[in-house]
């Protein structure tokens, strides 16, 4: 095992994970008012209505595919009847659809930030860095899928990358599992670790702010300013119109 392998596949992952956790704690303690998506919908909504759902649906599919492919051992899937051939078909084609949705949505969002002047002015340096790193991560992952899974002979990442990640999570990393992984997969993994490292300092923090409490919160009670609302007796039909300023006896 070389020093470079240990650095890339043991040291860097734990550094990125540490920055991810500590960075979120620091951001929450020192910048709660900045813990937001910094929505730019007020500046432009047409492109946002198209690109945002595509990106978010695609990225949720991508995350789900990574969880199944990398965190769930092959034996567990086979135990419930999902064998290698079926898994490969679903992962390849569903992953391709997810990649197209995600990249198309991201392209629309980036295009919107470039062509809409108000949105461009609201774009910060952290936004630009985040979009670049996110784009590189998606490109490398999509290229690896296309080159090896769709048009190539296939690569068994569940026998190398998946156990490496599970080893990191169990504090028993094995860098040798990553040494023979194809370069495009390695680039995808490294760019993903960089994305996790910058995550706490970008708008991506909003992912950890899902309004879970909304599902169990009590109803919001609205009170009217009309003192008679709720006590006035309703009458069928039209109410008699009264002339403004008419004497009381004519009312």
């Amino acid at each position: 095992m070389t020093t470079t392998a240990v650095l890339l596949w043991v040291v860097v992952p734990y550094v990125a994970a540490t920055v991810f956790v500590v960075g979120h704690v620091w951001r929450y303690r020192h910048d709660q008012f900045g813990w937001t998506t910094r929505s730019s919908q007020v500046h432009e909504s047409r492109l946002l209505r198209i690109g945002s759902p595509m990106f978010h649906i695609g990225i949720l599919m991508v995350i789900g595919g990574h969880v199944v492919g990398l965190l769930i051992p092959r034996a567990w899937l086979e135990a419930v009847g999902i064998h290698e051939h079926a898994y490969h078909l679903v992962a390849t084609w569903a992953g391709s659809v997810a990649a197209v949705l995600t990249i198309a949505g991201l392209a629309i969002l980036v295009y919107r930030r470039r062509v809409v002047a108000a949105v461009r002015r609201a774009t910060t340096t952290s936004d630009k860095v985040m979009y670049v790193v996110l784009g590189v991560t998606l490109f490398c992952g999509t290229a690896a899928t296309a080159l090896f899974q769709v048009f190539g002979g296939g690569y068994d990442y569940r026998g190398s990358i998946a156990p490496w990640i599970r080893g990191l999570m169990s504090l028993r990393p094995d860098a040798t599992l990553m040494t023979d992984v194809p370069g495009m997969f390695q680039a995808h993994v490294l760019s993903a670790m960089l994305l996790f490292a910058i995550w706490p300092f970008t708008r991506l923090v909003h992912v950890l702010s899902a309004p879970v409490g909304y599902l169990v919160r009590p109803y919001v009670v609205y009170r009217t300013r009309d003192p008679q609302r709720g006590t006035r007796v309703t009458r069928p039909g039209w109410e008699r119109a009264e002339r403004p300023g008419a004497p009381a006896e004519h009312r």
Side-chain angles (χ1 to χ4, degrees):
M1 186 185 303
T2 65
T3 303
T4 302
V6 174
L7 178 65
L8 290 179
W9 310 119
V10 177
V11 177
V12 171
Y14 284 125
V15 170
T18 302
V19 174
F20 180 84
V21 174
V22 176
H24 277 91
V25 174
W26 176 88
R27 178 80 179 270
Y28 186 79
R29 290 175 60 89
H30 294 87
D31 187 29
Q32 289 190 33
F33 288 107
W35 192 290
T36 173
T37 62
R38 292 195 301 273
S39 175
S40 58
Q41 185 176 2
V42 66
H43 301 304
E44 195 279 337
S45 60
R46 183 178 63 86
L47 290 173
L48 186 65
R49 284 198 301 267
I50 300 173
S52 183
M54 292 176 63
F55 174 78
H56 285 89
I57 292 173
I59 203 68
L60 286 175
M61 292 175 63
V62 169
I63 293 172
H66 280 67
V67 169
V68 173
L70 299 178
L71 300 186
I72 300 180
R74 188 195 321 240
W76 292 15
L77 294 178
E78 291 180 348
V80 296
I82 303 177
H83 297 285
E84 182 64 25
H85 180 67
Y87 170 82
H88 176 75
L89 287 178
V90 174
T92 299
W93 297 110
S96 299
V97 172
V100 170
L101 277 176
T102 307
I103 293 177
L106 181 63
I108 293 173
L109 295 177
V110 172
Y111 171 79
R112 172 178 175 269
R113 288 192 173 272
R114 292 297 303 167
V115 301
V116 180
V119 180
R120 185 170 64 250
R121 288 193 295 268
T123 303
T124 65
T125 301
S126 68
D127 292 334
K128 297 175 182 178
V129 173
M130 182 269 294
Y131 278 121
V132 170
V133 177
L134 179 59
V136 170
T137 304
L138 291 174
F139 171 79
C140 292
T142 303
T145 300
L147 292 174
F148 293 91
Q149 309 302 104
V150 178
F151 302 108
Y155 173 71
D156 184 20
Y157 56 86
R158 292 200 293 169
S160 56
I161 302 176
W164 168 73
I165 290 180
R166 294 197 295 269
L168 287 173
M169 297 178 65
S170 62
L171 302 181
R172 292 180 297 178
D174 184 0
T176 59
L177 291 170
M178 293 295 294
T179 54
D180 294 327
V181 171
M184 193 59 70
F185 281 101
Q186 290 183 339
H188 177 58
V189 172
L190 290 172
S191 59
M193 289 191 289
L194 177 59
L195 180 64
F196 279 109
I198 68 172
W199 191 298
F201 314 105
T202 68
R203 66 173 62 227
L204 292 176
V205 292
H206 78 276
V207 174
L208 302 181
S209 301
V212 178
Y214 180 83
L215 301 175
V216 296
R217 69 169 176 79
Y219 291 108
V220 178
V221 178
Y222 293 93
R223 300 183 182 276
T224 178
R225 293 185 178 182
D226 183 354
Q228 295 184 350
R229 181 62 60 86
T231 61
R232 185 171 52 185
V233 178
T234 60
R235 293 179 294 178
W238 295 95
E239 293 188 359
R240 181 181 177 182
E242 299 175 352
R243 186 177 61 186
E249 59 272 12
H250 296 294
R251 294 186 182 181

